[in-house]
Amino acid sequence: MQRTVFFISDSTGITAETIGNSILAQFEGIQFDKHRLPFVDDSHKAEAAALRIKTRYAQTGERPIVVNTMADRGLCEIVAASGALMLDVFAPFIGPLEEELGTKRSGAVNRSHGLVDFDKYEARINATNYALAHDDGVDVDYAQADLILIGVSRSGKTPTCLYMALHYGVKAANYPLTDDDLDKLELPKRLRPYKDRLFGLTIDPQRLAQIREQRRPGSRYATVQQCRWELEQADRLMRQAGISSLNTTHVSIEEIASKIFERFGIERTMF
Amino acid sequence: MQRTVFFISDSTGITAETIGNSILAQFEGIQFDKHRLPFVDDSHKAEAAALRIKTRYAQTGERPIVVNTMADRGLCEIVAASGALMLDVFAPFIGPLEEELGTKRSGAVNRSHGLVDFDKYEARINATNYALAHDDGVDVDYAQADLILIGVSRSGKTPTCLYMALHYGVKAANYPLTDDDLDKLELPKRLRPYKDRLFGLTIDPQRLAQIREQRRPGSRYATVQQCRWELEQADRLMRQAGISSLNTTHVSIEEIASKIFERFGIERTMF
């Protein structure tokens, strides 16, 4: 069974999509065909959206579902006239909040993903540049790092660092454990002063071999045997050094980041 | 006036934070002191959360606001006993969806940011690696690019490419226009075959000078005069070549990405 879903917004549509995906994930047996319609901020665009929804309704015979974050009531009504099931993301919360805060909402277009605060923007960009400069052990100045991820090659360090930088302005360096480190079962000297900022990523050997095989097909680097050896040694090294770690095999980048923040008591909210 | 807000979740808390920020942004005059409490998935953690909220209530004398995405009713009740204003993100939508879809929700912990689909994960990682390898004109193979951002140095190309890769699996390369390109007012040869995938980023000269000044204080590169010349030439070059562009000065990375996707008709939904 498949149902069509439209995420409609007068801005980027990120909020509509985020909450929509979370709600839909709770209905496991159903396939959803998802479409994003951002920047619907005048009646022409709302009518075009309504027509598209109506067309889909006619094609499938099933009522489309609309997850909506448009603020303007008039635009909402135009889209609702398509006959879709309208789920208005903000409506249920505005009343209770207006009462609690003793003030009316501003009512303008949702700008939560559009607003730019230069300080926050700079924090994101600086952290991203930091992550890029301190990726794969290339640069050695870890003094500025909020945290340093360690792990074997392709265990997920780089995307996690970039995610934490882009979204939270967290300066995360990463250091790939070398064969030399793994042989000696010793943390490299330049990491030792920052032991309390280290966090390890690990992964199942089969999965790691699969990822490496894509990168260097047929190489020793990509064999399950080599992956298993590296991971076992890395695990030993981290246990000996008392470094917390997380197995990333079945965990999304978002969840890895949240778990790391939890471990370090970082409560920074996202931008 | 300041009010305390807690984003509480049995998972990462990203959904609670995203919708919470969007709703709060509609109340412009009020400062919110925001806290994220992720992975609240048993009664001990719920009680610890409730205690923290209660403490804040006592300290400030103002009722805290809780934006909640925990699925378990028992855990919600424990937190609600703190006396906070509870905004339950999913509650208003589950009923109408259950009726529409003719099925009950699965009711488990929200896993929308925790689920890992290996194919999607690989698309994100491959796109991120692509963006890293095709950053700042270092690598010249643009054949695989979904799109290529062009602009002067520090106009926002790199973070935008990384964001599109990490969140949408879009392979975005970036090419920084050189003084040579800007002098000649010509697109470099290797970009010409991909003209329909090019998109320009521009920025106000004062803002660019400010960003560059951080990077290379006191340099000619960071003077408003130099920035203005580069931006004017880049603008000319793009207009002559018929390349769409966006001024990023007051626009967030999320919104830049959404606008670019709109321009190219890319409807990919986020992961």
Side-chain angles (χ1 to χ4, degrees):
Chain A
M1 179 173 165
Q2 200 194 42
R3 295 295 293 260
T4 307
V5 180
F6 292 92
F7 303 115
I8 298 194
S9 166
D10 47 28
S11 177
T12 59
I14 289 172
T15 302
E17 204 174 339
T18 303
I19 184 173
N21 280 329
S22 291
I23 298 170
L24 299 175
Q26 299 179 42
F27 292 88
E28 282 175 351
I30 299 163
Q31 290 276 331
F32 295 101
D33 178 28
K34 300 168 183 174
H35 301 269
R36 197 158 42 96
L37 304 180
F39 306 114
V40 179
D41 53 8
D42 65 31
S43 58
H44 293 294
K45 290 180 197 161
E47 272 153 22
L51 196 59
R52 213 174 130 182
I53 296 165
K54 224 169 164 171
T55 306
R56 181 53 72 107
Y57 197 165
Q59 286 167 341
T60 61
E62 298 269 21
R63 183 153 84 132
I65 294 159
V66 168
V67 180
N68 169 45
T69 59
M70 294 185 299
D72 186 276
R73 296 316 310 161
L75 300 182
C76 294
E77 278 162 26
I78 292 171
V79 172
S82 67
L85 173 69
M86 295 289 286
L87 301 178
D88 191 329
V89 169
F90 297 139
F93 309 111
I94 294 301
L97 266 177
E98 287 184 340
E99 198 176 316
E100 181 67 32
L101 301 171
T103 179
K104 292 274 170 202
R105 75 156 166 180
S106 324
V109 164
N110 163 30
R111 297 281 299 167
S112 66
H113 293 288
L115 276 175
V116 169
D117 172 324
F118 281 164
D119 290 341
K120 285 188 174 180
Y121 183 80
E122 246 155 51
R124 294 178 78 165
I125 300 306
N126 287 344
T128 302
N129 289 334
Y130 184 88
L132 290 171
H134 296 75
D135 186 44
D136 277 343
V138 170
D139 197 311
V140 297
D141 169 25
Y142 294 122
Q144 302 291 317
D146 291 316
L147 49 94
I148 305 157
L149 298 188
I150 64 170
V152 305
S153 167
R154 297 287 124 178
S155 52
K157 300 181 299 300
T158 298
T160 304
C161 286
L162 290 171
Y163 178 83
M164 293 192 292
L166 267 172
H167 283 269
Y168 296 89
V170 166
K171 286 188 177 167
N174 89 66
Y175 176 85
L177 294 167
T178 64
D179 278 1
D180 193 42
D181 303 327
L182 297 172
D183 264 332
K184 289 190 193 151
L185 285 178
E186 266 181 13
L187 275 183
K189 275 207 190 75
R190 56 192 163 122
L191 286 180
R192 287 180 216 162
Y194 309 109
K195 224 172 121 177
D196 57 337
R197 295 183 221 166
L198 298 181
F199 189 90
L201 296 188
T202 184
I203 185 171
D204 292 351
Q206 285 75 8
R207 176 68 186 142
L208 182 60
Q210 209 182 331
I211 294 169
R212 288 184 172 185
E213 179 66 25
Q214 279 209 350
R215 193 172 167 86
R216 288 196 222 149
S219 64
R220 192 176 77 95
Y221 166 82
T223 59
V224 174
Q225 199 183 7
Q226 171 68 14
C227 291
R228 183 171 291 123
W229 179 81
E230 289 183 29
L231 288 164
E232 282 172 2
Q233 292 296 96
D235 193 46
R236 256 182 222 126
L237 191 160
M238 293 190 255
R239 264 186 292 124
Q240 281 178 17
I243 297 163
S244 305
S245 69
L246 178 70
N247 186 318
T248 65
T249 313
H250 299 284
V251 185
S252 70
I253 296 170
E254 286 80 356
E255 191 158 336
I256 299 170
S258 287
K259 296 267 186 197
I260 294 171
F261 292 161
E262 198 188 29
R263 162 70 185 74
F264 287 100
I266 295 176
E267 262 203 25
R268 223 167 292 189
T269 51
M270 65 197 298
F271 293 123
Chain B
M1 179 173 166
Q2 200 194 40
R3 294 295 291 259
T4 308
V5 180
F6 291 92
F7 303 116
I8 298 193
S9 166
D10 47 27
S11 178
T12 59
I14 290 170
T15 303
E17 204 175 339
T18 304
I19 184 172
N21 281 329
S22 292
I23 298 170
L24 298 176
Q26 299 179 41
F27 293 88
E28 282 174 351
I30 299 163
Q31 289 276 330
F32 295 101
D33 177 27
K34 301 169 184 173
H35 302 269
R36 196 159 40 99
L37 303 180
F39 306 115
V40 179
D41 53 9
D42 65 30
S43 57
H44 292 295
K45 291 180 196 160
E47 272 152 24
L51 195 58
R52 213 174 131 183
I53 295 164
K54 224 168 162 173
T55 305
R56 180 54 70 108
Y57 196 164
Q59 286 168 340
T60 61
E62 297 269 20
R63 185 154 83 133
I65 295 159
V66 168
V67 181
N68 169 46
T69 59
M70 295 185 297
D72 186 275
R73 296 315 312 160
L75 300 183
C76 294
E77 279 161 25
I78 292 171
V79 173
S82 68
L85 173 71
M86 296 288 289
L87 300 178
D88 191 329
V89 170
F90 298 138
F93 311 111
I94 295 300
L97 266 177
E98 286 184 342
E99 196 175 319
E100 180 68 32
L101 301 171
T103 178
K104 291 275 168 199
R105 73 155 166 182
S106 324
V109 164
N110 162 31
R111 297 284 298 168
S112 66
H113 292 288
L115 275 175
V116 169
D117 173 323
F118 280 164
D119 290 343
K120 284 189 174 178
Y121 184 80
E122 246 155 52
R124 294 177 78 166
I125 302 304
N126 288 343
T128 302
N129 289 334
Y130 184 88
L132 290 172
H134 295 75
D135 185 45
D136 276 344
V138 170
D139 196 313
V140 298
D141 168 25
Y142 294 121
Q144 302 290 317
D146 291 317
L147 50 94
I148 304 158
L149 298 189
I150 65 172
V152 305
S153 167
R154 300 285 125 177
S155 53
K157 300 181 300 300
T158 298
T160 305
C161 286
L162 289 171
Y163 178 83
M164 294 192 291
L166 267 173
H167 283 270
Y168 297 90
V170 166
K171 286 188 177 166
N174 89 66
Y175 176 86
L177 294 167
T178 63
D179 277 2
D180 192 44
D181 302 328
L182 297 172
D183 264 332
K184 289 189 194 151
L185 285 178
E186 264 182 14
L187 273 183
K189 274 207 189 75
R190 55 191 163 122
L191 284 180
R192 287 179 215 161
Y194 308 109
K195 221 171 123 177
D196 56 338
R197 296 184 221 165
L198 298 181
F199 190 91
L201 295 189
T202 183
I203 185 170
D204 292 351
Q206 283 77 6
R207 175 69 186 142
L208 181 61
Q210 210 181 335
I211 294 170
R212 289 183 172 186
E213 179 67 23
Q214 279 209 348
R215 195 173 165 84
R216 288 195 221 152
S219 63
R220 193 177 77 98
Y221 166 83
T223 58
V224 174
Q225 198 182 9
Q226 172 67 15
C227 291
R228 183 172 291 123
W229 179 81
E230 289 184 30
L231 288 164
E232 282 173 2
Q233 291 296 95
D235 193 48
R236 256 181 222 125
L237 191 159
M238 293 190 256
R239 264 185 291 125
Q240 281 178 16
I243 296 164
S244 305
S245 69
L246 178 69
N247 186 318
T248 65
T249 312
H250 299 283
V251 185
S252 70
I253 297 171
E254 287 80 359
E255 189 158 337
I256 299 170
S258 287
K259 296 267 185 197
I260 294 171
F261 292 161
E262 197 188 29
R263 162 69 185 74
F264 287 100
I266 294 176
E267 261 205 24
R268 222 168 294 190
T269 51
M270 65 197 297
F271 293 122

